[in-house]
Amino acid sequence: RTSMRASRAAISAAAQRMGMSTFGNSAAQKTRTPRLRKLKRAAYGVALGGAAYTGWLMYRNRNPATQEPFDPSKKTLVLLGTGWGSTTVLKNLDTENFNVVVVSPRNYFLFTPLLPSCTVGTIENRSIMEPVRLLMRHKNREVKFYEAECTDIDAASKQLTLERRVDADGNQVAAGEGEKTRISYDYLVVGVGGTVNTFGTPGVEQHACFLKEMGDARKIRRRLMDSVESASFDDISEAERDRLLHMVVVGGGPTGIEYAGELHDFLVDDLTQWYPELADRVRITLVEALPNVLPAFDKKLIDYTQSTFKENRITILTRTMVKEVGEKSFV
């Protein structure tokens, strides 16, 4: 009897412990369940809020508010150019304080760091062109835009002479032959940028391609494809074929390095499939007057760039200056 009582007591204690354990697990599960529900609700709320905010931004971008008209009592501020400097000024300018006028021969902002990618079709041209009127439309007060060149600044009378270089049919006209107009200003911001420095090298402007504007990228792509197509003809000499397939990049700065890399990727990825008989004959040469490429960057990056170019058979000529550029050769 004593043994049976002890057994019953042990079984009862074990059952109580099991019941307490089950109760504890159930309580912990009940505690965790509301927490998971709260996290899910919070995640849904964040996602819904983000979607609503994105939709609101898209609506505001497509449907800007009504702008206030020009105020004759306020002074006029004229911005020359639509590059990095002028666009930054326009973006941060409070039009409540001024009547703003923008003058530029191009009606868009160009994201120039991606310009080398446009020369080989990696990026569509329109992807790096932002209409300046889109930025102007979201200002509180109306902003006027003149697609023209400023040919004269009269600081004494505070007047600008503008010349439109495009006729009624959209064709370019020579300097001095376009339609002219004059506008007044109180404040003038000049951000027209600069021209390409040829260092006085003969033949550069006549025979070389620059890489500064979107028109330059289109010209490079057109000449690149024309050269490859001409090299595919059977009735040309092997020396002429090698010349047509030799691409020379002058300048070992960031733009020259990036363009040489983009050109190599284009020739390897696309030209190999389109012109398999010509792919192995293409040569790329980078010319730099200084002792090494990327002189303003860290030595590790310089060494990595040079070793990568060497692996990809891109010839680098340092301490080499171009003296003259001809139609089919350079010195």
Side-chain angles (χ1 to χ4, degrees), residues 116-134:
S117 300
C118 296
T119 61
V120 295
T122 304
I123 295 178
E124 176 62 29
N125 297 346
R126 292 176 296 176
S127 301
I128 64 172
M129 300 166 64
E130 183 71 15
V132 69
R133 287 186 179 274
L134 180 63

Side-chain angles (χ1 to χ4, degrees), residues 158-233:
K158 290 191 174 181
Q159 285 192 332
L160 304 175
T161 301
L162 309 182
E163 181 180 355
R164 182 169 173 79
R165 296 286 180 84
V166 181
D167 59 17
D169 296 328
N171 300 317
Q172 293 286 336
V173 298
E177 299 180 1
E179 181 182 353
K180 295 184 179 181
T181 184
R182 292 177 67 87
I183 62 172
S184 302
Y185 68 91
D186 295 296
Y187 302 103
L188 179 63
V189 178
V190 181
V192 296
T195 58
V196 178
N197 190 358
T198 64
F199 299 97
T201 306
V204 172
E205 295 184 357
Q206 293 79 12
H207 306 295
C209 295
F210 302 111
L211 189 54
K212 183 177 177 61
E213 300 288 345
M214 182 54 68
D216 300 331
R218 296 192 186 102
K219 180 180 178 181
I220 290 174
R221 180 167 177 80
R222 183 173 61 252
R223 290 185 61 174
L224 174 63
M225 296 309 301
D226 288 345
S227 296
V228 177
E229 290 292 350
S230 299
S232 65
F233 277 72

